[in-house]
Amino acid sequence: MLQDLILDQEEEDLYENTTKRDTSIELEKILYKKIKVLDHGFIRVIDYMGSDSAIVQAARVSYGHGTKKVSQDKALINYLVKHRHTSPLEMCEIKFHIKLPIFIARQWIRHRTANVNEYSARYSVLDKEFYLPEREILCAQSSSNKQGRHNEPLTKEETDKILHIIKTDSERCYDNYSQMLNTDIDGNVVDDEKTGLARELARMNLNLNYYTQWYWKIDLHNLLHFISLRYAQHAQYEIREYAKILLEIIKLWLPHVYEAFMEYRHHGAELSKSQIQALKKFVDVNKISKKESGLKEREWQYLIDILS
Amino acid sequence: MLQDLILDQEEEDLYENTTKRDTSIELEKILYKKIKVLDHGFIRVIDYMGSDSAIVQAARVSYGHGTKKVSQDKALINYLVKHRHTSPLEMCEIKFHIKLPIFIARQWIRHRTANVNEYSARYSVLDKEFYLPEREILCAQSSSNKQGRHNEPLTKEETDKILHIIKTDSERCYDNYSQMLNTDIDGNVVDDEKTGLARELARMNLNLNYYTQWYWKIDLHNLLHFISLRYAQHAQYEIREYAKILLEIIKLWLPHVYEAFMEYRHHGAELSKSQIQALKKFVDVNKISKKESGLKEREWQYLIDILS
Amino acid sequence: MLQDLILDQEEEDLYENTTKRDTSIELEKILYKKIKVLDHGFIRVIDYMGSDSAIVQAARVSYGHGTKKVSQDKALINYLVKHRHTSPLEMCEIKFHIKLPIFIARQWIRHRTANVNEYSARYSVLDKEFYLPEREILCAQSSSNKQGRHNEPLTKEETDKILHIIKTDSERCYDNYSQMLNTDIDGNVVDDEKTGLARELARMNLNLNYYTQWYWKIDLHNLLHFISLRYAQHAQYEIREYAKILLEIIKLWLPHVYEAFMEYRHHGAELSKSQIQALKKFVDVNKISKKESGLKEREWQYLIDILS
Amino acid sequence: MLQDLILDQEEEDLYENTTKRDTSIELEKILYKKIKVLDHGFIRVIDYMGSDSAIVQAARVSYGHGTKKVSQDKALINYLVKHRHTSPLEMCEIKFHIKLPIFIARQWIRHRTANVNEYSARYSVLDKEFYLPEREILCAQSSSNKQGRHNEPLTKEETDKILHIIKTDSERCYDNYSQMLNTDIDGNVVDDEKTGLARELARMNLNLNYYTQWYWKIDLHNLLHFISLRYAQHAQYEIREYAKILLEIIKLWLPHVYEAFMEYRHHGAELSKSQIQALKKFVDVNKISKKESGLKEREWQYLIDILS
């Protein structure tokens, strides 16, 4: 899927180095390539550290001889993800170059446990690139979900009007930004008679849909946490599009972690005490069987325990 | 329960101040008092910031006019805890003075998002206080749980022997520590002819059951995370004893948060995709009713959703 | 100084509580009051934990009997700040309610070690309040400092034009925001025939000078770090205005820390190895005297050490 | 220097992979090799991410076109380190396997911004390896420095006695640890008739000089901070030995960062306001010259500014 989203780009002149480090053949294939997100955004993997087996290796430092019997790597990763033993997952690290609209960047940056270098509009002029949503995602406010939108798009007429507004306002604000800076789109002075406003001030005229970009480096535990929140149903469509790509990248990089994440996090569920009590009324533990459940011993035992 | 554990102590000469800050009448009653844990340990609340209503207030800054309808504070706190909306919980902060054995301090400090000032054995001489377990918790290694112990104590004979070993070794090591320092128990020089080893070196002769102490300051979200891990069934008995007291303190301080924590975290459960699939085989959603479940609308709907 | 900046406001109906906690009489006077910053912004202290003496108390837990001789609180605080012994400073915590333009909020949030609840434009409609700079701070781009501005304002003509642009674009974008939402300024539906765009999308049409607000909670060490970076000469004028107020608040709250910060951080300097070597050429240590220097023993000794 | 400290070891069967990632030829040479520290400790680089040029690359994302003129990588790194622009440094990450005495591990772990997997004595039996200091570093308590030791070792007689104490107590405590566990040194049950105490309890009988080990992963900014505190003059000898090796590793990995760190941090100095005022009395800025100083323009200007 990622392959289809890779943006055409001039080939960078990349050296092939030899290394003794853990290396992911699959991730190397897309290293440095821009994967398209939204209309002008992208995600690009710049560097990475670790692998499924690096997680296992770190976990075994902790457990020492005690884990001799937990011989299978995949089972150990399932165990770690299931029980939220997060420190071995922190032993993997990944660095991205990401381009995204400012209003999404503002949600994104709330995840504090990461390293960031953002393009600075104090130093440099922002490019004329703004986010203009696809027609079909322009939906009304949801009445049930205070922070969300309906699944149904607006009428064609309303959509036309909204797209016109966003496009026109974005363009006008940028043109005025350029005019205040007294520079053209390449940053060259337009009128030698004028001085131009400082960049750190002029930028305030831009809209929240303008694109910014940053380097973002994060460990695997925090990345999975980001994805679990931002790929969730209630997350805003625009950031879900980024989270979806991040998850695909994990699938390439760490196939065991990806499977465990889908099993225990993404498709898992949390029940409250009251919900468990309700369930007990509906399930007669004496009438169900481990065999029928299809579960492994531990998973089965846990289920029986909470239902008893 | 906490009242019974308060250690006799000379009354500190405390001023009563007036403040406009959020104040917890219940927590004020035990402020600065030492609550006994294990044989020589204690937990003492030194300061705190916030209340149930401070959490609500912070959440409403986020949600603005949009939360007009979520009128009940308790319902909002349930919502926040259930959905792991952690940032309003971070708006409460608490500071403890804690005395604990070093081997427990080493587990404890792995929780990184907290502020700590520990007694320094480079600056000062440690007191002669070491942890000697109660007889009934001296159990054998669990064979099923690699990191735990059996529920049954050892034989009286073995227990006697072990207690003798720990007591004798602890005392001898401390006496040799004093001798190397050339100081008595009050830190006074014993033999004027000798110099005494530097404290930063002498301390290495002490055992891991010696008590240390620290100031520990943490926000509520991270404190709940600590408790959820360290009050869990698989946590080591000794740290559970501390976590139990911390939870009792939360009950005094933030009764709504306490209830939500017990409902959604402590007595809740996480199910994997496979476990949900197994459940579906055992529950016929058409034969169960919301009324019978005793659940509120949203909780009921969620249950139906995952079982459908 | 802060008193003059307090915004007129309806008196909140505040209870006066009694507490045994550390209380700052000076800080209590301005608690909950809005201190004006820029044209529509403010800083408001919501809660605080600790005092100068709480820092000393925490430091003495670490140093134990070893600090008997460091008898003076003020000297100990100087020592901690000078030597960057940051952990006792982390024992103080403060919580603010802050209103600020979005482009400043984006700089601010880069300080990660803090707790934040921001007004969410997914849940609620933003108010029509945008930052319009004072004439005298509308300066040209600095040519020597890539990220800064000149000290001289632009010509009156250019200033007029720029203010007109910012004001007009801000207003138009807001009006279109309202129109897309199909709500008036109070959030009421305007046209019952229309649905209105979801808030999470409509917000993208706003400019970066629109005001947002948040609760921001931080420990003293990280707050001083924030101030040292954002009150520095090269910081952007707008964020300096906030940092200036934060520093005034510390002055009220923790007078000893304030003095130490000014002495060792704000008015201090860092020299490189090369700069120290240059200094040595210009200073003959044999010709200078401690008495003439006016320094205390330790400070003098340090100076002699680096110059020798 | 590092080459001489590499411990003889069976060659691990390492694959050479090809990668497009930044690769440090010098660091690859010592990857996975154990570098000896103290008597039984070591540091081993397990993985790394980034290079001098990765820092430059990340910085240029921030500065955009604005840095065209800062053309030299080395000058940019100097600038970043000097002005504590830490975020580009955070773009490098390194992972170590470290073996160290527990009392040093307790100092070490106070650096919170790192990822750790420690050998767990709940899961596994600790090896019989304890730290026994070299004779020449067994010094008396310093009288001037509350937390340090004299530079002069103790007398031969006292040293003999202390080494005897530490060795004897360590051995006895370990033997009793084994006896309580009812296992031999390889973890095999000794007496089938007995059960043995749980590992999580037995470990409390060990001394603080026993060796533990962990995986430790940290970004470059935080690693430099660690080194600046732990390689400082007042740091405890034992942790300085580790910090010294970490600094040597940085020298191999990131030569430009190493030079900047030595120039601006390690051999730099911080002056207080009072010290600057004292300096002004001793230096006549009119009598000194930039040429004589040997400083570059910016460094010279800064010096003149603080002395004027």
Side-chain angles (χ1 to χ4, degrees), chain B residues 113-299:
Chain B
T113 314
N115 310 115
V116 184
N117 274 293
E118 186 174 354
Y119 185 91
S120 168
R122 295 184 73 196
Y123 279 90
S124 299
V125 176
L126 271 173
D127 290 331
K128 188 172 181 177
E129 284 183 319
F130 55 86
Y131 172 55
L132 195 66
E134 297 286 326
R135 304 184 73 85
E136 57 270 25
I137 62 105
L138 281 177
C139 304
Q141 181 65 35
S142 166
S143 50
S144 65
N145 174 11
K146 287 285 177 201
Q147 61 174 319
R149 47 178 118 158
H150 264 302
N151 291 324
E152 291 300 303
L154 300 173
T155 65
K156 182 173 180 315
E157 191 194 6
E158 284 180 291
T159 302
D160 285 343
K161 192 168 176 185
I162 285 166
L163 287 175
H164 178 74
I165 285 175
I166 296 175
K167 189 161 182 295
T168 314
D169 278 355
S170 300
E171 287 178 342
R172 184 189 300 101
C173 288
Y174 191 90
D175 293 344
N176 282 330
Y177 167 68
S178 292
Q179 197 183 335
M180 290 193 288
L181 287 173
N182 189 30
T183 54
D184 63 17
I185 220 159
D186 297 319
N188 301 316
V189 169
V190 171
D191 183 347
D192 286 338
E193 306 290 301
K194 291 182 181 168
T195 38
L197 185 63
R199 289 184 287 270
E200 64 178 19
L201 283 168
R203 61 173 165 170
M204 82 173 78
N205 205 58
L206 294 176
N207 306 80
L208 284 161
N209 59 340
Y210 267 87
Y211 275 87
T212 184
Q213 48 183 296
W214 56 34
Y215 269 41
W216 189 61
K217 175 170 149 288
I218 192 166
D219 70 56
L220 177 62
H221 161 58
N222 282 290
L223 179 58
L224 292 177
H225 185 63
F226 179 95
I227 292 171
S228 73
L229 290 179
R230 301 306 181 178
Y231 191 51
Q233 210 181 335
H234 283 337
Q236 180 160 358
Y237 167 78
E238 283 75 15
I239 202 164
R240 287 195 80 204
E241 289 293 292
Y242 285 88
K244 197 168 71 182
I245 299 296
L246 294 175
L247 187 55
E248 287 295 316
I249 289 168
I250 287 177
K251 192 176 176 181
L252 279 186
W253 177 29
L254 307 161
H256 289 351
V257 169
Y258 173 81
E259 277 188 44
F261 176 78
M262 298 310 278
E263 169 74 13
Y264 297 105
R265 291 281 161 279
H266 191 65
H267 294 304
E270 286 190 287
L271 300 183
S272 67
K273 182 184 174 186
S274 305
Q275 285 167 330
I276 294 169
Q277 283 169 340
L279 262 185
K280 285 180 187 175
K281 292 176 190 161
F282 306 140
V283 183
D284 182 351
V285 285
N286 300 313
K287 290 190 181 158
I288 64 177
S289 74
K290 181 183 152 187
K291 194 177 171 187
E292 200 187 344
S293 78
L295 293 173
K296 289 179 188 157
E297 178 58 30
R298 279 179 186 239
E299 299 252 311

Side-chain angles (χ1 to χ4, degrees), chain B residues 19 28 62-63 93 124 217, chain C residues 19 28 63 93 120 124 217:
Chain B
T19 184
E28 290 279 338
S62 296
Y63 306 150
E93 188 93 11
S124 299
K217 175 170 149 288
Chain C
T19 184
E28 290 280 338
Y63 306 151
E93 188 93 12
S120 168
S124 299
K217 175 170 150 289

